[in-house]
């Protein structure tokens, strides 16, 4: 259990820490009541071995960066998580709460009393406080708000008034601004008066006397500029800027396109009110892409890996129910052809192949379109072009794979008719999958819905019912 | 067609530009040979309307940031893309090539001759040149390398020697370093001698006389430090650093955890050789998460939205073939029970319900596990715990949904036996889906494979064959 090893990179180090904490927490679990009882953290545990393990665990925890502590907590089952959280450094509690996922945060807050919570969050920045406020008990928020000054209170309330997917909800208020008509030397002297500059400061905002944004002064230009040069001659006037009402995913995409580290947020009069930083945008990018992936499979946005069974059932039941309903429809389609099946029982064995290839191919198409929609926009003329292309792919696949399976069916059941029906049904179902693989997400997007949401369940529903209908229908018409 | 509108945010502006270029390029397509013929860009087109449209298109293109130009090109079909690329500002060509996806880059390079390519890439940074080198014709690379100095050539070769997924492949060589024993004032004076500092410079690296990394001097600390203070008293000594051999996804995760903007890359002796910047890491994060999503559906990493039909067929055929094979196996499972089906034809109609709910539930489980594996590690003891939880969820769902469908089957077919077999088969297939939904990705990961790769196809294969076997098997034993 090497704690700090010079030869490990940061990832290996974190993996080691997680594994060590997992192991130690599991060992200490039987003693958790003893540990909880010792409020002053002066533990005296019965066995020396257990006591040593507790010391080791505390040693690891105290060394952890808040983000690493968050990763450790995410990877612990509920009881172990509670134990480790009890041993965490109280000063870091607020930062850890900011880093963990929503569901894990709830489980942590559950085990903290008002006093602990106030202590954890009272030193956070206002934007961080606003981020947590929704999940905190009301009396904790009230308590902390009391200690803020007028301006800070207004900022917290402003940040809380925006939707989660708006820039306003993730912007921060630590802005450094200067006037355009001062020299670079004056700026440098002004900056030196700060105890420290805000994180990620890569540019100083330039405003006029009414705080209207005039431009930005990149630090990397300030540092090489002649001291007597005026800010207005060094600053960039074309600035990528955001409104608090902008979509946060759009802002993240802009950070990605233009390689930004920070960017100003201005109100409708171009008055500077806050800034966005790349660390928040990175989180947005990961969350957006992951949400697409989860949504396609019919899961809600996040599920604590160790959530109680019942929470998981609730998270997943909607799409399971929809799937069950569509499967029932498919079943009734088959039921309609029971006569045909009782005459040619081979149909029952072959029909899932037709449905299956349609589902698989449709999922490939829909995944591609969902990704394309997330990264750009697809205009109407393009949708038609994409549809044509997908139909082409479906036709080629239908002819190749349909012929292959048709041949197999012919050989297996000694009926050329069954083979030909197989070729036709597979090709038609692949074409159906192509049409709906493009139409479903494009239509969802056009009506302002998330194109990823349950798209996999929907396409499978269509290719199942459709596949059965096409195959059994063709067989009934041509073989009976 | 408002080109620059003060009231649009950057996203709306880009969407407008994309739509405008799409429209204009489509209009101009019939005249592309005339336009191509005019090598000197002094176009004289027959109709004034067409000429005006060409001027408008060129006006938009010239104003575009290279990253926006890349977005525009990604969203154009091949012929229009070729036309717009012809009109692009040659000085930006290199930057645009860096921004587009691999498949689109290939299509662009195809239409450039050696001279154009050399002109496009000769002014790129060495790390950028190394990134493009694989996709460029050999004679272009040779030509450009000739103009580099010894050190730069060595850097290009070093960067090219690493795998795509290694830090070495994305690191850049623009590093600014100082000694620990100088004052902050000296550092500021030294920096002023640069024409400009490298992009994203948020810290200066501190090295000894052998270039061994001693620490980092954050610019935000340098700016507030007293001028006479020594660097060694201001610098941070605990530095997150990477080796060129580190996994780039791990590095990106570290950037995300520790909110980094840049970080040093050192060799095995801690000698500073390069740096990583957050803009590259943001790309890695998006690509990693998207690759998971595409891989789950059985698509390869990237597919040009407008790829020719045949390219798309090749990109997707492997998993379609696998799917077809597994569907065939499922079909043979049903074939084995043809006797039972010919006696109770209702079985044919009900069996897809059992298979379907297993597939859907299995996909939910596998998506969650794939996501968890991407973000952290799951130890052996946790895999067992997760398995238990998923079995619990499957049992609850089996009892609830199995009973509901069992009741429906009983009412539909007037046979309590069929209803009970339905309940049992659905529950068992859900349990099977839970076991394999956990086991497949965890096993893939353990053997060093990508847990996302085709996982959706695999789980569906198991729940189809398994579902048919369980349902028809139970029906044969208890109902016949």
């Amino acid at each position: 259990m090497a704690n700090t090893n010079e030869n490990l990179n940061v990832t290996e180090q974190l993996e080691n820490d997680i594994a060590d904490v997992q192991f130690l927490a599991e060992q200490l679990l039987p003693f958790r009541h003893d540990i909880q009882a010792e409020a002053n953290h002066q533990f005296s545990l019965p066995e020396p071995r257990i006591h040593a393990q507790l010391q080791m665990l505390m040693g690891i925890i105290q060394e952890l960066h808040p983000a690493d502590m968050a990763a450790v907590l995410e990877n612990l089952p509920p009881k172990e998580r509670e134990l480790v959280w009890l041993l965490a450094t109280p000063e870091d509690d607020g930062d850890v709460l900011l880093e963990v996922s929503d569901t894990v945060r709830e489980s942590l807050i559950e085990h903290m009393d008002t006093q602990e919570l106030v202590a954890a969050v009272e030193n956070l920045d206002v934007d961080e406080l606003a981020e947590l406020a929704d999940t905190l008990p009301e009396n904790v928020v009230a308590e902390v708000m009391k200690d803020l000054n007028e301006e800070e209170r207004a900022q917290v309330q402003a940040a809380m008034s925006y939707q989660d997917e708006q820039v306003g909800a993730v912007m921060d208020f630590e802005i450094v601004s200067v006037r355009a008509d001062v020299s670079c030397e004056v700026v440098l002297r002004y900056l030196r008066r700060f105890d420290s500059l805000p994180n990620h400061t890569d540019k100083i905002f330039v405003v006029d006397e009414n705080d209207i944004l005039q431009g930005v002064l990149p630090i990397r230009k300030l540092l090489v500029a002649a001291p007597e040069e005026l800010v207005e001659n060094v600053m960039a006037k074309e600035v990528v800027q955001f409104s608090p009402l902008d979509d946060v995913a759009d802002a993240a995409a802009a950070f990605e396109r233009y390689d930004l580290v920070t960017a100003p947020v201005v109100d409708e009069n171009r008055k500077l009110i806050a800034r966005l930083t790349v660390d928040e945008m990175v989180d947005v990018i990961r969350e957006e892409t992951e949400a697409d992936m989860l949504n396609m499979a019919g899961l809600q946005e996040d599920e604590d890996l160790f959530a109680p069974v019942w929470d998981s059932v609730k998270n997943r039941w909607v799409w399971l129910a929809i799937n069950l309903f569509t499967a029932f429809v498919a079943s009734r389609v088959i039921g309609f052809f029971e006569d045909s099946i009782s005459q040619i029982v081979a149909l029952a064995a072959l029909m899932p192949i037709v449905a299956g290839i349609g589902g698989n191919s449709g999922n490939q198409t829909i995944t591609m379109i969902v990704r394309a929609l997330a990264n750009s926009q697809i205009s109407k003329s393009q949708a038609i072009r994409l549809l044509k292309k997908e139909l082409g792919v479906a036709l080629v696949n239908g002819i190749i794979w349909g012929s292959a399976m048709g041949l197999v069916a012919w050989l297996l059941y000694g009926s050329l008719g069954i083979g030909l029906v197989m070729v036709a049904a597979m090709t038609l179902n692949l074409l159906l999958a192509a049409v709906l693989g493009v139409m479903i997400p494009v239509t969802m997007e056009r009506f302002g819905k998330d194109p990823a949401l349950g798209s996999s369940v929907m396409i499978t529903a269509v290719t199942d019912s459709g596949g059965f209908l096409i195959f059994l229908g063709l067989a009934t018409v041509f073989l009976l």
Side-chain angles (χ1 to χ4, degrees), chain A:
Chain A
M1 223 175 286
N3 190 12
T4 40
N5 183 328
E6 277 287 321
N7 295 319
L8 295 181
N9 68 29
V10 283
T11 308
E12 291 160 347
Q13 183 64 52
L14 175 60
E15 283 175 359
N16 267 13
D17 287 341
I18 291 176
D20 289 352
V21 173
Q22 280 171 355
F23 173 80
L24 290 168
E26 215 174 306
Q27 298 295 309
L28 288 164
L29 207 52
F31 307 93
R32 71 179 187 280
H33 297 299
D34 299 319
I35 297 172
Q36 270 163 355
E38 301 281 346
N40 55 0
H41 284 219
Q42 295 301 315
F43 308 105
S44 59
L45 287 170
E47 291 179 49
R49 188 178 61 87
I50 300 298
H51 190 77
Q53 286 182 334
L54 180 60
Q55 293 301 323
M56 204 184 288
L57 179 59
M58 290 179 66
I60 296 173
I61 289 173
Q62 274 158 20
E63 290 292 310
L64 286 175
H65 185 285
D68 291 338
M69 183 67 181
V72 166
L73 291 168
E74 298 269 353
N75 281 288
L76 286 173
K79 290 209 179 71
E80 283 89 333
R81 186 185 290 161
E82 194 187 330
L83 174 64
V84 170
W85 187 230
L86 182 77
L87 302 173
T89 324
E91 304 90 84
D92 287 347
D93 280 1
D95 289 323
V96 175
L97 287 176
L98 281 169
E99 295 282 345
V100 292
S101 64
D102 290 353
T103 44
V104 171
R105 186 187 300 154
E106 277 169 37
S107 77
L108 297 178
I109 288 177
E110 226 169 74
H111 298 291
M112 297 172 79
D113 60 30
T114 304
Q115 205 184 336
E116 285 171 320
L117 279 170
V118 170
V121 303
E122 65 186 352
N123 291 322
L124 295 178
D125 292 335
V126 286
D127 62 302
E128 295 169 338
L129 182 58
E131 194 182 331
L132 286 186
D134 282 341
T135 40
L136 294 173
E138 276 180 31
N139 58 338
V140 173
V141 179
E143 183 80 19
V144 178
M145 291 282 266
K146 265 200 322 207
D147 292 338
L148 300 179
N149 66 36
E150 197 64 42
E151 188 191 2
E152 290 170 332
R153 225 177 349 247
Q155 288 172 338
V156 173
Q157 274 152 358
M160 285 178 66
S161 70
Y162 296 103
Q163 306 290 316
D164 276 352
E165 70 277 8
Q166 288 181 323
V167 161
V170 297
M171 62 191 186
D172 91 55
F173 300 95
E174 295 182 283
I175 40 184
V176 178
S177 59
V178 296
R179 295 288 175 80
D181 56 0
V182 298
S183 71
C184 288
E185 191 175 11
V186 170
V187 174
L188 284 172
R189 245 186 296 138
Y190 169 67
L191 294 180
R192 204 162 293 141
R193 293 220 303 263
F194 284 79
D195 286 332
S196 76
L197 293 178
N199 268 321
H200 293 101
T201 299
D202 71 323
K203 50 177 73 92
I204 310 289
F205 302 112
V206 184
V207 295
D208 69 8
E209 65 279 10
N210 298 317
D211 272 345
I212 306 298
L213 187 72
Q214 306 291 304
V216 295
L217 176 63
I219 299 278
R220 49 190 279 268
K221 293 206 168 156
L222 172 66
L223 288 175
V224 302
E228 63 282 4
E229 192 72 79
L230 289 186
V231 167
E232 58 194 353
N233 298 330
V234 182
M235 73 181 187
K237 292 190 187 81
E238 275 202 28
V239 182
V240 179
Q241 52 196 281
F242 300 95
S243 148
L245 302 172
D246 281 345
D247 187 306
V248 75
D250 288 345
F255 265 71
E256 201 178 342
R257 276 203 307 281
Y258 309 123
D259 295 343
L260 302 174
V261 175
T262 66
V265 179
V266 297
D267 70 10
E268 60 281 12
N269 303 318
R270 279 180 54 92
K271 186 176 157 188
L272 179 67
I273 50 176
R275 61 170 193 157
L276 284 179
T277 55
V278 66
D279 54 321
E280 288 285 351
M281 296 300 107
V282 169
D283 294 345
V284 169
I285 288 168
R286 181 180 297 278
E287 279 162 22
E288 286 285 317
T289 328
E290 276 184 3
D292 278 352
M293 181 168 149
L294 297 179
N295 283 340
M296 283 191 73
L299 288 162
Q300 301 201 21
E301 267 206 38
D302 67 17
E303 184 175 318
D304 182 351
L305 210 49
F306 300 98
V309 166
W310 191 243
D311 287 359
S312 293
V313 169
K314 281 188 289 181
N315 187 35
R316 307 183 196 172
W317 81 270
V318 176
W319 285 104
L320 273 187
I322 292 173
N323 173 260
L324 215 52
F325 174 75
T326 63
F328 179 72
V329 172
S331 166
R332 293 321 301 148
V333 170
I334 299 169
F336 186 75
F337 292 100
E338 273 177 9
D339 260 5
S340 311
I341 294 174
S342 67
Q343 288 178 56
I344 312 177
V345 75
L347 299 181
L350 292 173
M351 64 188 188
I353 298 179
V354 176
I357 194 160
N360 189 271
S361 175
N363 265 307
Q364 290 183 336
T365 301
I366 215 165
T367 303
M368 240 195 52
I369 304 285
V370 164
R371 171 174 165 261
L373 284 171
N375 290 346
S376 61
Q377 54 149 26
I378 293 178
S379 68
K380 208 169 177 181
S381 68
Q382 280 178 310
I384 290 162
R385 201 188 300 260
L386 285 174
L387 188 56
K388 279 188 197 155
K389 179 195 141 186
E390 291 299 319
L391 286 173
V393 175
L395 197 64
V396 172
N397 279 330
I399 289 166
I400 296 176
W401 301 114
S403 301
M405 284 323 279
L407 193 70
V408 170
W410 180 14
L411 294 176
L412 257 177
Y413 294 99
S415 152
L416 176 60
I418 284 187
L420 292 175
V421 164
M422 210 49 200
V423 180
M426 280 177 67
T427 307
L428 288 174
N429 202 29
L430 282 169
L431 292 172
L432 179 68
V435 173
L436 285 145
V438 176
M439 296 300 289
I440 291 175
V442 168
T443 310
M444 296 273 277
E445 171 96 349
R446 197 133 306 169
F447 286 99
K449 305 277 177 210
D450 180 351
L453 200 60
S455 54
S456 178
V457 176
M458 280 193 282
I459 190 83
T460 310
V462 176
T463 50
D464 273 3
S465 287
F468 295 142
L469 181 64
I470 292 166
F471 177 67
L472 296 174
L474 288 176
T476 303
V477 171
F478 292 106
L479 301 181
L480 293 176

